Amino acid sequence: MKGSLKTPGEAFVWFTSMGLTIGLSMVVFLLFSIVTNGMKVFWPNKVMHLRLKDGSTVGGTLIKEQTQSTEGGQEEWQIFMGNKDIYGLAFRFLNRQDIVQTAYPKEVMVIERIEYGDAIGVPVLLETKDGNKLESRNSAFQAHLKNVVVQANDRWKDIRLIEKKQIGRINQQMERMQIQKRVLENQKKIDRSKLDQIQKMMEPLQAEYEKLAQKASQLRSGQEQDFLTYRLLDGQEKRLAIGQVVHIHYPNQMGTLERLGYALRKFWLFLSDEPREANTEGGIFPAIFGTFVMTLLLSIAVTPFGVLAAIYLREYAKQGVFVRSVRIAVNNLAGVPSIVFGVFGLGFFVYMVGGTIDRFFFSNYLPAPTFGTGGIFWASMTLALMTVPVVIVATEEALSAVPRGVREGSLACGASKWQTIQRVVLPASAPGILTGLILAMARGAGEVAPLMLVGVVKLAPSLPLDTNYPFLHLDQKFMHLGFHIYDLGFQSPDSEAAKPMVFATTFLLILLVVLLNLGAIVIRERLRKKFATGAF
């Protein structure tokens, strides 16, 4: 051992391995921290009923135990009390010494609500629309309560379907007709027959709209017919419309398997549902979908542009001072702060290109901009511009790695230079090109700063891809996982409640980037195997 360390350079081998170990440890610690903190969103903790020295009582779940840095280093608990609409705050810190009694009442329930977050209390009475009153002591109470909550959730699904899909489709059609009508009315010679024709086409749509609006109103009134009365753990009673309830569970009665099932169900809803309560409750599906579509558009835009630029620089351009300067400029472009690309995208893509498109192709919609404002297409183009140096550099390296003998063999067989590039060089360098694309996707998907200027928003009511014509809405604003994390962490009205959501969303962003990269890696490996035997 001593002999090997005395060998010149051997000690540095250990230093390099130490660097790799530290790097891997940091990655593992980061992922472990994100996963463990994010899981707190989904796992149902037991509810405690605490009696304090002053005779008061507090109920809630234990979030954190810590030692105070002042007051003699006393131990304190952070309690999630819920019932934010009553207490004003959802969390409270208690000195451990002030707690004289801790209990876990079996009958305590946690009510997930549409507004004001979770409520915690003991059920008292269920009043239904037919006038029946069922006390919590009745053995059929829980089953009946679950049944009316399911009915209320079904009504919410119907309301969302009517208001977002059906009425949304009618609004789009009527908006297009209103624009056609306005264009005809602004003409010097008004064509009354066309105006009457448009008016006749609008009448059945208006009738359908009113019918759907009335149906949605009836469903909404149905949400206020059943009521649940529950008692808070400090003795107050509260009456809640069942239409405001998303889900009810009894954490102190659940076993391990039931908790696991509840956590999996909540994780699925987190993936598939829409956000609520300023993004601190509900799911993040619009943000996942927006990030995926944006990354896909970015990849489609950056790949041909980067590959063509690299082919010209490596295969056709005469090597000299100018080409070296271009390469230096491309490399430096990769180090420009991302917010600079955002400012450029806002000025060039949104105002200049988008404004021009609006004047030539969407003048009927003006002064409301169509492409002259931020949207998912301009966000993708901005990120494509930001990541194109990565693709150019990777593609150039891949092209230069193709053996010279392969090129000469192709040329000797009578192929032209372009045919050699197209049929021999590009397939052989495809794995390297895909490596550049993977790096570009990873950087683009995680960027936030430029997106804040060119199209991302806190809450987007509809998706950029749906079943309404023209299906892919490139001008539409969108939600993004990275911006969602920023919004939760720094702009949330209750940052303490949003903290687990920040970790859960971060985990999903990492997972999405990993899945996109794995897809590209699988394609790269297949290409590598396909062309591995093609080398001379």
Coordinates of all heavy atoms in Angstrom, one line a residue, residues 361-447:
F361 N -52.0 38.0 -40.4 CA -52.9 36.9 -40.4 C -54.1 36.9 -39.4 O -55.0 36.2 -39.5 CB -52.1 35.6 -40.2 CG -51.1 35.4 -41.2 CD1 -49.7 35.6 -40.9 CD2 -51.4 34.9 -42.5 CE1 -48.7 35.4 -41.8 CE2 -50.4 34.7 -43.4 CZ -49.0 35.0 -43.1
F362 N -54.0 37.7 -38.4 CA -55.0 37.8 -37.3 C -55.4 39.2 -37.1 O -55.7 39.6 -36.0 CB -54.5 37.2 -36.0 CG -54.1 35.7 -36.2 CD1 -52.8 35.3 -36.4 CD2 -55.1 34.7 -36.1 CE1 -52.5 34.0 -36.6 CE2 -54.8 33.4 -36.2 CZ -53.4 33.0 -36.5
S363 N -55.5 40.0 -38.2 CA -55.9 41.4 -38.0 C -57.3 41.6 -37.5 O -57.6 42.6 -36.9 CB -55.7 42.2 -39.3 OG -56.5 41.5 -40.3
N364 N -58.2 40.6 -37.8 CA -59.6 40.7 -37.4 C -59.7 40.6 -35.8 O -60.7 41.0 -35.3 CB -60.4 39.6 -38.0 CG -60.5 39.7 -39.5 OD1 -60.4 40.8 -40.0 ND2 -60.7 38.6 -40.2
Y365 N -58.7 40.0 -35.2 CA -58.7 39.8 -33.8 C -58.2 41.0 -33.0 O -58.4 41.1 -31.8 CB -57.9 38.6 -33.3 CG -58.6 37.3 -33.7 CD1 -58.4 36.8 -35.0 CD2 -59.3 36.5 -32.8 CE1 -59.0 35.6 -35.4 CE2 -59.9 35.3 -33.2 CZ -59.7 34.9 -34.5 OH -60.3 33.7 -34.9
L366 N -57.5 41.9 -33.7 CA -56.8 43.1 -33.1 C -57.9 44.0 -32.6 O -59.0 44.1 -33.1 CB -55.9 43.8 -34.1 CG -54.7 43.0 -34.5 CD1 -53.9 43.7 -35.6 CD2 -53.8 42.7 -33.3
P367 N -57.7 44.7 -31.5 CA -56.4 44.9 -30.8 C -56.0 43.8 -29.8 O -55.0 43.8 -29.2 CB -56.7 46.2 -30.0 CG -58.1 46.2 -29.7 CD -58.8 45.5 -30.9
A368 N -56.9 42.8 -29.6 CA -56.4 41.6 -28.8 C -55.4 40.8 -29.5 O -55.6 40.3 -30.6 CB -57.7 40.8 -28.4
P369 N -54.2 40.6 -28.9 CA -53.1 39.9 -29.7 C -53.4 38.4 -29.7 O -54.0 37.9 -28.7 CB -51.9 40.3 -28.9 CG -52.4 40.5 -27.5 CD -53.7 41.1 -27.6
T370 N -53.0 37.8 -30.7 CA -53.0 36.3 -30.8 C -51.6 35.7 -30.6 O -51.4 35.0 -29.6 CB -53.6 35.9 -32.2 OG1 -54.8 36.5 -32.4 CG2 -53.7 34.4 -32.2
F371 N -50.7 36.0 -31.5 CA -49.3 35.6 -31.3 C -48.4 36.7 -30.8 O -47.3 36.5 -30.5 CB -48.8 35.1 -32.7 CG -49.2 33.7 -33.0 CD1 -50.3 33.4 -33.7 CD2 -48.5 32.6 -32.5 CE1 -50.7 32.1 -34.0 CE2 -48.9 31.3 -32.7 CZ -50.0 31.0 -33.5
G372 N -49.0 37.9 -30.7 CA -48.2 39.1 -30.2 C -48.2 39.1 -28.7 O -48.0 40.2 -28.1
T373 N -48.4 38.0 -28.1 CA -48.2 38.0 -26.6 C -47.6 36.6 -26.3 O -47.4 35.8 -27.1 CB -49.6 38.1 -25.9 OG1 -49.5 38.0 -24.5 CG2 -50.5 36.9 -26.4
G374 N -47.2 36.4 -25.0 CA -46.5 35.2 -24.6 C -47.4 34.0 -24.9 O -48.6 34.0 -24.7
G375 N -46.7 32.9 -25.2 CA -47.4 31.6 -25.4 C -46.4 30.5 -25.5 O -45.2 30.7 -25.4
I376 N -47.0 29.3 -25.6 CA -46.1 28.1 -25.5 C -45.2 28.0 -26.7 O -44.0 27.5 -26.5 CB -47.0 26.8 -25.3 CG1 -46.1 25.6 -24.9 CG2 -47.7 26.5 -26.6 CD1 -46.9 24.4 -24.4
F377 N -45.6 28.5 -27.8 CA -44.7 28.4 -29.0 C -43.5 29.3 -28.8 O -42.4 28.9 -29.1 CB -45.5 28.8 -30.3 CG -44.7 28.6 -31.5 CD1 -44.3 27.4 -31.9 CD2 -44.4 29.7 -32.3 CE1 -43.5 27.2 -33.1 CE2 -43.7 29.5 -33.5 CZ -43.3 28.3 -33.9
W378 N -43.7 30.5 -28.4 CA -42.6 31.5 -28.2 C -41.7 31.0 -27.1 O -40.5 31.2 -27.1 CB -43.1 32.9 -28.0 CG -43.9 33.5 -29.1 CD1 -45.1 34.2 -29.0 CD2 -43.6 33.3 -30.5 NE1 -45.5 34.5 -30.3 CE2 -44.6 34.0 -31.2 CE3 -42.6 32.7 -31.3 CZ2 -44.7 34.1 -32.6 CZ3 -42.6 32.8 -32.7 CH2 -43.7 33.5 -33.3
A379 N -42.3 30.4 -26.1 CA -41.5 29.9 -25.0 C -40.6 28.8 -25.5 O -39.4 28.7 -25.1 CB -42.4 29.4 -23.8
S380 N -41.1 27.9 -26.3 CA -40.3 26.8 -26.9 C -39.2 27.3 -27.8 O -38.1 26.8 -27.7 CB -41.2 25.8 -27.7 OG -42.2 25.3 -26.8
M381 N -39.5 28.3 -28.6 CA -38.5 28.9 -29.5 C -37.4 29.6 -28.7 O -36.2 29.5 -29.0 CB -39.2 29.9 -30.4 CG -40.1 29.4 -31.4 SD -39.3 28.2 -32.5 CE -40.0 26.7 -31.9
T382 N -37.8 30.3 -27.6 CA -36.8 30.9 -26.8 C -35.8 29.9 -26.2 O -34.6 30.1 -26.2 CB -37.5 31.8 -25.7 OG1 -38.3 32.7 -26.3 CG2 -36.4 32.5 -24.9
L383 N -36.4 28.8 -25.6 CA -35.5 27.8 -25.0 C -34.7 27.1 -26.1 O -33.6 26.6 -25.8 CB -36.4 26.8 -24.2 CG -37.0 27.4 -23.0 CD1 -37.8 26.4 -22.2 CD2 -36.0 28.1 -22.1
A384 N -35.3 26.9 -27.3 CA -34.6 26.3 -28.4 C -33.3 27.1 -28.7 O -32.2 26.6 -28.9 CB -35.5 26.1 -29.6
L385 N -33.5 28.4 -28.8 CA -32.4 29.3 -29.1 C -31.3 29.2 -27.9 O -30.1 29.2 -28.2 CB -32.9 30.7 -29.2 CG -31.8 31.8 -29.5 CD1 -31.3 31.6 -31.0 CD2 -32.4 33.2 -29.4
M386 N -31.8 29.1 -26.7 CA -30.9 29.0 -25.6 C -30.1 27.7 -25.6 O -28.9 27.7 -25.2 CB -31.7 29.1 -24.3 CG -30.9 29.3 -23.0 SD -31.9 29.3 -21.6 CE -32.4 27.6 -21.5
T387 N -30.7 26.6 -26.0 CA -30.0 25.3 -26.0 C -29.4 24.9 -27.3 O -28.7 23.8 -27.3 CB -31.0 24.2 -25.6 OG1 -32.2 24.3 -26.4 CG2 -31.5 24.5 -24.1
V388 N -29.5 25.7 -28.3 CA -28.9 25.3 -29.6 C -27.4 25.2 -29.6 O -26.8 24.3 -30.2 CB -29.4 26.2 -30.7 CG1 -28.7 27.6 -30.7 CG2 -29.2 25.6 -32.1
P389 N -26.7 26.0 -28.8 CA -25.2 25.7 -28.7 C -24.8 24.3 -28.2 O -23.8 23.8 -28.7 CB -24.7 26.8 -27.7 CG -25.8 27.9 -27.8 CD -27.0 27.2 -28.0
V390 N -25.6 23.8 -27.3 CA -25.4 22.5 -26.8 C -25.5 21.4 -27.9 O -24.6 20.5 -28.0 CB -26.4 22.1 -25.6 CG1 -26.1 20.7 -25.1 CG2 -26.3 23.1 -24.5
V391 N -26.5 21.6 -28.7 CA -26.7 20.6 -29.8 C -25.6 20.8 -30.9 O -25.0 19.8 -31.4 CB -28.1 20.8 -30.5 CG1 -28.3 19.8 -31.6 CG2 -29.1 20.5 -29.4
I392 N -25.2 22.0 -31.2 CA -24.2 22.3 -32.2 C -22.8 21.7 -31.8 O -22.2 20.9 -32.5 CB -24.0 23.8 -32.4 CG1 -25.3 24.3 -33.1 CG2 -22.8 24.1 -33.3 CD1 -25.2 25.9 -33.3
V393 N -22.4 21.9 -30.5 CA -21.2 21.4 -30.0 C -21.2 19.9 -30.0 O -20.2 19.2 -30.5 CB -20.9 22.0 -28.6 CG1 -19.6 21.3 -28.0 CG2 -20.7 23.5 -28.7
A394 N -22.2 19.3 -29.5 CA -22.3 17.8 -29.4 C -22.3 17.2 -30.8 O -21.6 16.2 -31.1 CB -23.5 17.4 -28.7
T395 N -23.0 17.8 -31.7 CA -23.1 17.3 -33.1 C -21.7 17.4 -33.8 O -21.3 16.5 -34.5 CB -24.1 18.0 -33.9 OG1 -25.4 18.0 -33.2 CG2 -24.3 17.4 -35.3
E396 N -21.0 18.5 -33.6 CA -19.7 18.7 -34.2 C -18.7 17.6 -33.7 O -18.0 17.0 -34.4 CB -19.2 20.1 -33.9 CG -19.5 21.1 -34.9 CD -18.5 22.2 -35.0 OE1 -18.6 23.2 -34.2 OE2 -17.6 22.1 -35.8
E397 N -18.8 17.4 -32.4 CA -17.9 16.3 -31.8 C -18.3 14.9 -32.3 O -17.4 14.1 -32.6 CB -18.1 16.3 -30.3 CG -17.5 17.6 -29.6 CD -16.1 17.7 -29.8 OE1 -15.3 16.7 -29.8 OE2 -15.6 18.9 -29.9
A398 N -19.6 14.7 -32.5 CA -20.0 13.4 -33.1 C -19.5 13.2 -34.5 O -19.1 12.1 -34.9 CB -21.5 13.3 -32.9
L399 N -19.7 14.3 -35.3 CA -19.2 14.2 -36.7 C -17.7 14.0 -36.8 O -17.3 13.2 -37.7 CB -19.6 15.5 -37.4 CG -21.1 15.8 -37.6 CD1 -21.4 17.2 -38.2 CD2 -21.8 14.7 -38.5
S400 N -17.0 14.7 -36.0 CA -15.5 14.5 -36.0 C -15.1 13.1 -35.6 O -14.0 12.7 -35.9 CB -14.9 15.6 -35.2 OG -15.2 15.4 -33.8
A401 N -15.9 12.4 -34.8 CA -15.5 11.1 -34.3 C -15.7 10.0 -35.3 O -15.3 8.9 -35.1 CB -16.4 10.8 -33.0
V402 N -16.4 10.3 -36.4 CA -16.6 9.3 -37.5 C -15.3 9.0 -38.2 O -14.6 10.0 -38.6 CB -17.7 9.8 -38.5 CG1 -17.8 8.7 -39.6 CG2 -19.0 10.0 -37.8
P403 N -14.8 7.8 -38.3 CA -13.5 7.5 -38.8 C -13.3 8.1 -40.2 O -14.3 8.0 -41.0 CB -13.4 6.0 -38.8 CG -14.4 5.6 -37.8 CD -15.5 6.6 -37.8
R404 N -12.1 8.5 -40.5 CA -11.9 9.1 -41.9 C -12.0 8.0 -42.9 O -12.4 8.3 -44.1 CB -10.5 9.7 -41.9 CG -10.1 10.4 -43.2 CD -8.8 11.1 -43.1 NE -8.4 11.8 -44.3 CZ -7.3 12.4 -44.5 NH1 -6.4 12.4 -43.5 NH2 -7.0 13.0 -45.6
G405 N -11.6 6.8 -42.6 CA -11.7 5.7 -43.5 C -13.1 5.4 -44.0 O -13.3 5.0 -45.2
V406 N -14.1 5.7 -43.1 CA -15.5 5.5 -43.5 C -15.9 6.4 -44.6 O -16.5 6.1 -45.6 CB -16.4 5.6 -42.3 CG1 -17.9 5.6 -42.7 CG2 -16.1 4.6 -41.3
R407 N -15.5 7.7 -44.4 CA -15.8 8.7 -45.4 C -15.1 8.4 -46.8 O -15.8 8.5 -47.8 CB -15.3 10.1 -44.9 CG -15.9 10.6 -43.6 CD -15.2 11.8 -43.1 NE -15.6 12.1 -41.8 CZ -16.5 13.0 -41.5 NH1 -17.1 13.7 -42.5 NH2 -16.9 13.3 -40.3
E408 N -13.8 8.1 -46.7 CA -13.1 7.8 -47.9 C -13.6 6.6 -48.6 O -13.6 6.6 -49.9 CB -11.6 7.6 -47.6 CG -11.0 9.0 -47.1 CD -9.5 8.8 -46.6 OE1 -9.1 7.6 -46.5 OE2 -8.8 9.8 -46.5
G409 N -14.0 5.6 -47.9 CA -14.6 4.4 -48.5 C -15.9 4.7 -49.3 O -16.1 4.3 -50.4
S410 N -16.7 5.6 -48.7 CA -18.0 6.0 -49.3 C -17.7 6.8 -50.6 O -18.2 6.6 -51.7 CB -18.8 6.8 -48.4 OG -19.9 7.3 -49.0
L411 N -16.7 7.7 -50.5 CA -16.4 8.6 -51.7 C -15.7 7.7 -52.8 O -16.0 7.9 -54.0 CB -15.4 9.7 -51.2 CG -16.0 10.7 -50.3 CD1 -14.9 11.7 -49.8 CD2 -17.1 11.6 -51.0
A412 N -14.9 6.7 -52.3 CA -14.3 5.8 -53.3 C -15.3 5.0 -54.1 O -15.1 4.5 -55.2 CB -13.3 4.9 -52.6
C413 N -16.5 4.7 -53.5 CA -17.5 3.9 -54.1 C -18.3 4.8 -55.1 O -19.3 4.3 -55.7 CB -18.4 3.3 -53.1 SG -17.6 2.0 -52.2
G414 N -18.0 6.1 -55.1 CA -18.7 6.9 -56.1 C -19.8 7.8 -55.5 O -20.4 8.6 -56.2
A415 N -19.9 7.8 -54.2 CA -20.9 8.7 -53.5 C -20.4 10.1 -53.5 O -19.2 10.4 -53.4 CB -21.2 8.2 -52.1
S416 N -21.4 11.1 -53.6 CA -21.0 12.5 -53.5 C -20.8 12.8 -52.0 O -21.1 12.0 -51.1 CB -22.1 13.3 -54.1 OG -23.3 13.2 -53.3
K417 N -20.3 14.0 -51.8 CA -20.1 14.4 -50.4 C -21.4 14.4 -49.6 O -21.4 14.0 -48.4 CB -19.4 15.8 -50.3 CG -19.0 16.2 -48.9 CD -18.0 17.3 -48.9 CE -17.5 17.6 -47.5 NZ -16.6 18.7 -47.4
W418 N -22.5 15.0 -50.1 CA -23.7 15.1 -49.4 C -24.3 13.7 -49.2 O -24.8 13.4 -48.1 CB -24.7 15.9 -50.2 CG -26.1 15.8 -49.6 CD1 -27.2 15.3 -50.1 CD2 -26.4 16.3 -48.2 NE1 -28.3 15.4 -49.2 CE2 -27.8 15.9 -48.1 CE3 -25.7 16.8 -47.2 CZ2 -28.5 16.2 -46.9 CZ3 -26.4 17.1 -46.0 CH2 -27.8 16.8 -45.9
Q419 N -24.1 12.8 -50.2 CA -24.6 11.4 -50.0 C -23.8 10.7 -48.9 O -24.4 9.9 -48.2 CB -24.5 10.6 -51.4 CG -25.5 11.0 -52.4 CD -25.3 10.4 -53.8 OE1 -24.1 10.1 -54.1 NE2 -26.3 10.1 -54.5
T420 N -22.5 11.0 -48.9 CA -21.7 10.4 -47.8 C -22.2 10.9 -46.4 O -22.3 10.1 -45.5 CB -20.2 10.8 -48.0 OG1 -19.8 10.3 -49.3 CG2 -19.3 10.2 -46.9
I421 N -22.4 12.2 -46.4 CA -22.9 12.7 -45.1 C -24.3 12.2 -44.7 O -24.5 11.7 -43.6 CB -23.0 14.3 -45.2 CG1 -21.6 14.9 -45.3 CG2 -23.7 14.9 -43.9 CD1 -21.6 16.4 -45.6
Q422 N -25.2 12.1 -45.7 CA -26.5 11.7 -45.4 C -26.6 10.2 -45.1 O -27.3 9.8 -44.2 CB -27.4 12.0 -46.7 CG -28.8 11.7 -46.5 CD -29.6 11.8 -47.8 OE1 -29.0 12.1 -48.8 NE2 -30.9 11.6 -47.7
R423 N -25.9 9.4 -45.9 CA -26.0 7.9 -45.7 C -25.0 7.3 -44.8 O -25.3 6.2 -44.3 CB -25.9 7.2 -47.1 CG -26.8 7.8 -48.2 CD -28.3 7.3 -47.9 NE -29.2 7.9 -48.9 CZ -29.4 7.4 -50.1 NH1 -28.7 6.3 -50.5 NH2 -30.2 8.0 -50.9
V424 N -23.9 7.9 -44.5 CA -22.8 7.3 -43.7 C -22.5 8.1 -42.5 O -22.6 7.5 -41.4 CB -21.5 7.1 -44.6 CG1 -20.4 6.5 -43.8 CG2 -21.8 6.3 -45.8
V425 N -22.2 9.3 -42.6 CA -21.7 10.1 -41.5 C -22.8 10.4 -40.5 O -22.6 10.1 -39.3 CB -21.1 11.4 -42.0 CG1 -20.6 12.3 -40.8 CG2 -19.9 11.2 -42.9
L426 N -24.0 10.9 -40.9 CA -25.0 11.2 -40.0 C -25.5 10.0 -39.2 O -25.7 10.1 -38.0 CB -26.2 11.9 -40.7 CG -26.1 13.4 -40.9 CD1 -27.3 13.9 -41.6 CD2 -25.9 14.1 -39.6
P427 N -25.8 8.8 -39.8 CA -26.2 7.7 -39.0 C -25.2 7.2 -38.0 O -25.5 6.9 -36.9 CB -26.4 6.6 -40.1 CG -26.8 7.3 -41.3 CD -25.9 8.6 -41.3
A428 N -23.9 7.3 -38.4 CA -22.8 6.9 -37.5 C -22.7 7.8 -36.3 O -22.3 7.4 -35.2 CB -21.5 6.8 -38.2
S429 N -23.0 9.1 -36.5 CA -22.9 10.1 -35.5 C -24.2 10.3 -34.7 O -24.3 11.2 -33.8 CB -22.4 11.4 -36.0 OG -23.2 11.9 -37.1
A430 N -25.3 9.6 -35.1 CA -26.6 9.8 -34.4 C -26.6 9.7 -32.9 O -27.2 10.5 -32.2 CB -27.6 8.9 -35.1
P431 N -25.8 8.7 -32.4 CA -25.8 8.6 -30.9 C -25.2 9.8 -30.2 O -25.8 10.3 -29.2 CB -24.9 7.4 -30.6 CG -25.0 6.5 -31.9 CD -25.2 7.5 -33.0
G432 N -24.2 10.4 -30.8 CA -23.6 11.7 -30.3 C -24.6 12.8 -30.4 O -24.7 13.7 -29.5
I433 N -25.3 12.9 -31.5 CA -26.3 14.0 -31.7 C -27.4 13.9 -30.7 O -27.9 14.8 -30.1 CB -26.9 13.9 -33.1 CG1 -25.8 14.2 -34.2 CG2 -28.0 14.9 -33.3 CD1 -26.2 13.9 -35.6
L434 N -27.9 12.6 -30.4 CA -28.9 12.4 -29.4 C -28.4 12.8 -28.0 O -29.2 13.2 -27.2 CB -29.4 11.0 -29.5 CG -30.4 10.7 -30.6 CD1 -30.7 9.2 -30.7 CD2 -31.7 11.5 -30.4
T435 N -27.1 12.6 -27.8 CA -26.6 13.0 -26.4 C -26.7 14.5 -26.3 O -27.1 15.0 -25.2 CB -25.1 12.6 -26.3 OG1 -25.0 11.2 -26.5 CG2 -24.5 13.0 -25.0
G436 N -26.4 15.2 -27.3 CA -26.6 16.7 -27.3 C -28.1 17.1 -27.1 O -28.4 18.0 -26.3
L437 N -29.0 16.3 -27.7 CA -30.4 16.6 -27.6 C -30.9 16.3 -26.1 O -31.7 17.1 -25.6 CB -31.2 15.8 -28.6 CG -32.7 15.9 -28.5 CD1 -33.2 17.3 -28.8 CD2 -33.4 14.9 -29.4
I438 N -30.3 15.3 -25.6 CA -30.7 14.9 -24.2 C -30.3 16.1 -23.2 O -31.0 16.5 -22.4 CB -30.0 13.6 -23.7 CG1 -30.6 12.4 -24.5 CG2 -30.1 13.4 -22.3 CD1 -29.9 11.1 -24.4
L439 N -29.0 16.6 -23.4 CA -28.6 17.7 -22.6 C -29.4 18.9 -22.8 O -29.7 19.6 -21.8 CB -27.1 18.0 -22.9 CG -26.1 16.9 -22.6 CD1 -24.7 17.2 -23.1 CD2 -26.1 16.6 -21.1
A440 N -29.8 19.2 -24.1 CA -30.7 20.3 -24.3 C -32.0 20.2 -23.7 O -32.6 21.2 -23.1 CB -30.8 20.5 -25.9
M441 N -32.6 19.0 -23.8 CA -33.9 18.8 -23.1 C -33.9 19.0 -21.6 O -34.7 19.6 -21.0 CB -34.4 17.4 -23.5 CG -34.9 17.2 -24.9 SD -35.1 15.5 -25.3 CE -36.3 14.9 -24.2
A442 N -32.8 18.5 -21.0 CA -32.7 18.6 -19.6 C -32.5 20.0 -19.1 O -33.2 20.4 -18.2 CB -31.4 17.8 -19.1
R443 N -31.8 20.8 -19.9 CA -31.6 22.2 -19.5 C -32.9 23.0 -19.8 O -33.3 23.8 -18.9 CB -30.5 22.8 -20.3 CG -30.2 24.2 -19.8 CD -29.1 25.0 -20.5 NE -29.0 26.3 -20.0 CZ -28.3 27.3 -20.5 NH1 -27.6 27.1 -21.6 NH2 -28.3 28.5 -20.0
G444 N -33.5 22.7 -20.9 CA -34.7 23.5 -21.3 C -35.9 23.2 -20.4 O -36.6 24.1 -20.0
A445 N -36.1 21.9 -20.0 CA -37.2 21.6 -19.1 C -37.1 22.2 -17.7 O -38.1 22.4 -17.1 CB -37.3 20.1 -19.0
G446 N -35.9 22.5 -17.3 CA -35.7 23.0 -15.9 C -35.6 24.5 -15.8 O -35.6 25.0 -14.7
E447 N -35.6 25.2 -16.9 CA -35.5 26.6 -16.9 C -36.8 27.3 -16.5 O -37.9 26.8 -16.8 CB -35.0 27.2 -18.3 CG -33.6 27.0 -18.6 CD -32.7 27.9 -17.7 OE1 -33.2 28.9 -17.1 OE2 -31.5 27.6 -17.5

